[in-house]
Amino acid sequence: MKIFVSIASYCDELLFFTLNDCYQKAANPSNLVFAVVDQNEASQKDAIDALSFSDQVRYVFINKMETFGVSWARNIAFSLYDGEAYLLQIDSHTYFEQGWDESLLKQYSQLREKSAKPILSIYPYAFRFDDNKQPVFTKPSGEYVMELRPHPDTSLTDDNAVLRFRAGHIKTSEAVNGCHIAAGFLFTSADFIEEVPYDPYLYFHGEEQSLSVRAYTRGWDIYHPVWIPLYHYYKESGVSYANQHWHESVRNKRSLNHAHLKQRSQNRVNRLLYGDGMVGSAYGLGQVRSLTDFIRFSGIDYVNKTITR
């Protein structure tokens, strides 16, 4: 059963590190199909072709000046799907445990006993590089599961439905049924690609809220897993990086500048969660469950603009 690995990369020097590590650490690497959208200064197709598993990589290069954000790029990655059984969406700076694929498939299979459409998703734990440029991380104890909830410093306002989320620990040995998808690690049936396609009109913030509510209202159930067999390289908060899409060197040079993209994305999320819900659109609310059902389940009240902490 093939796993479709979706990776949208933006000027990321760790892209090939991630590709190689993902392939080498898989118990069944021949079952992997990579969809790589490389937003960069120059194509890296020759380096892709040099990989020992290049026949398992679907590669699209887009000049960094012609891109319009992560959701737009992930929409393109989804377009490379060709009937694989499972979806793994990750960021292009990810480090894996040995046998990560077997771990995710086992957890997914267990969750199928609870839900017809389970999604495994959470913000992964961090890894970094030591002085010898070797990846290092602290392995979790396995006694806690992380749950994603709105950040205590964020709130719903009349003109902005976009929230920030953070992870908190719950002492349990079972996956936690949650209300929020982490876009940097998502594993589920590849049916998700066609049922909950990425909205290309979103930019960055609000991406995960859109996915979460649209998936929930289509009958998908989000679970924060017991074990996360991969790790994420996090940037330092408050630091400007040249490989950020909104870096000052490029932010206003695109045909749609950063301010426009950000406002367009906010308007889109507002319409989804405050407005008509875009019902009937592939990018709108589903009809298996209602927004009211999501509000009751999550405590995030998009009607009254309140959050149950």
Side-chain angles (χ1 to χ4, degrees), residues 1 31 57 95 107 151 154 201 216-217 253 260 280 291:
M1 301 290 276
N31 286 341
V57 182
Y95 181 62
Q107 292 183 78
H151 195 287
T154 194
Y201 292 94
Y216 180 88
T217 56
K253 295 181 180 180
H260 178 90
L291 181 61

Side-chain angles (χ1 to χ4, degrees), residues 177-230:
N177 189 197
C179 66
H180 192 68
I181 287 174
F185 164 50
L186 183 163
F187 183 82
T188 188
S189 163
D191 292 338
F192 184 92
I193 293 170
E194 296 183 338
E195 287 194 28
V196 195
Y198 250 90
D199 188 340
Y201 292 94
L202 298 180
Y203 182 55
F204 183 75
H205 296 296
E207 165 199 8
E208 295 172 338
Q209 285 171 268
S210 171
L211 283 180
S212 302
V213 177
R214 289 166 53 222
Y216 180 88
T217 56
R218 283 172 169 77
W220 295 77
D221 295 307
I222 304 163
Y223 286 93
H224 305 316
V226 173
W227 194 259
I228 312 163
L230 48 83

Side-chain angles (χ1 to χ4, degrees), residues 44-308:
Q44 301 186 90
K45 184 64 165 58
D46 289 345
I48 291 289
D49 290 343
L51 293 170
S52 63
F53 52 96
S54 61
D55 60 335
Q56 295 171 235
V57 182
R58 299 167 191 160
Y59 177 82
V60 173
F61 164 72
I62 304 168
N63 186 282
K64 71 175 187 178
M65 299 303 297
E66 298 173 357
T67 70
F68 298 106
V70 64
S71 292
W72 180 86
R74 283 178 168 151
N75 174 278
I76 294 174
F78 273 19
S79 76
L80 302 177
Y81 171 67
D82 191 23
E84 290 76 25
Y86 299 98
L87 164 68
L88 172 66
Q89 179 172 279
I90 55 172
D91 286 335
S92 52
H93 29 272
T94 302
Y95 181 62
F96 293 81
E97 290 185 358
Q98 196 70 43
W100 62 266
D101 50 337
E102 287 187 339
S103 173
L104 291 178
L105 287 167
K106 180 180 179 181
Q107 292 183 78
Y108 177 83
S109 178
Q110 292 170 341
L111 288 172
R112 278 298 306 273
E113 298 176 4
K114 299 181 178 181
S115 169
K117 296 180 177 182
I119 302 167
L120 284 77
S121 188
I122 193 66
Y123 299 149
Y125 289 104
F127 83 94
R128 61 180 179 81
F129 292 98
D130 63 17
D131 294 339
N132 297 316
K133 297 185 178 180
Q134 295 300 307
V136 293
F137 61 92
T138 301
K139 204 163 190 174
S141 67
E143 297 178 352
Y144 295 86
V145 171
M146 288 194 291
E147 180 189 34
L148 297 178
R149 293 294 300 161
H151 195 287
D153 294 338
T154 194
S155 62
L156 296 168
T157 61
D158 289 341
D159 64 347
N160 190 1
V162 176
L163 298 170
R164 290 185 301 118
F165 286 73
R166 73 171 184 180
H169 287 88
I170 298 176
K171 190 172 180 61
T172 179
S173 59
E174 296 184 358
V176 172
N177 189 197
C179 66
H180 192 68
I181 287 174
F185 164 50
L186 183 163
F187 183 82
T188 188
S189 163
D191 292 338
F192 184 92
I193 293 170
E194 296 183 338
E195 287 194 28
V196 195
Y198 250 90
D199 188 340
Y201 292 94
L202 298 180
Y203 182 55
F204 183 75
H205 296 296
E207 165 199 8
E208 295 172 338
Q209 285 171 268
S210 171
L211 283 180
S212 302
V213 177
R214 289 166 53 222
Y216 180 88
T217 56
R218 283 172 169 77
W220 295 77
D221 295 307
I222 304 163
Y223 286 93
H224 305 316
V226 173
W227 194 259
I228 312 163
L230 48 83
Y231 302 83
H232 185 276
Y233 188 83
Y234 290 96
K235 292 181 171 67
E236 291 185 37
S237 178
V239 177
S240 178
Y241 292 88
N243 65 343
Q244 288 175 323
H245 194 273
W246 52 85
H247 188 264
E248 60 183 8
S249 63
V250 294
R251 63 186 296 166
N252 291 321
K253 295 181 180 180
R254 300 185 176 96
S255 59
L256 298 177
N257 65 34
H258 170 262
H260 178 90
L261 291 169
K262 185 177 178 182
Q263 186 60 55
R264 182 178 73 165
S265 183
Q266 180 177 312
N267 294 343
R268 189 77 164 178
V269 175
N270 286 352
R271 181 183 172 190
L272 177 71
L273 301 175
Y274 286 173
D276 63 8
M278 295 185 284
V279 176
S281 164
Y283 308 123
L285 299 177
Q287 299 181 53
V288 177
R289 297 166 177 151
S290 67
L291 181 61
T292 300
D293 293 330
F294 180 83
I295 290 170
R296 289 195 189 104
F297 172 68
S298 68
I300 304 170
D301 191 338
Y302 291 109
V303 175
N304 296 305
K305 316 293 190 301
T306 60
I307 300 171
T308 302

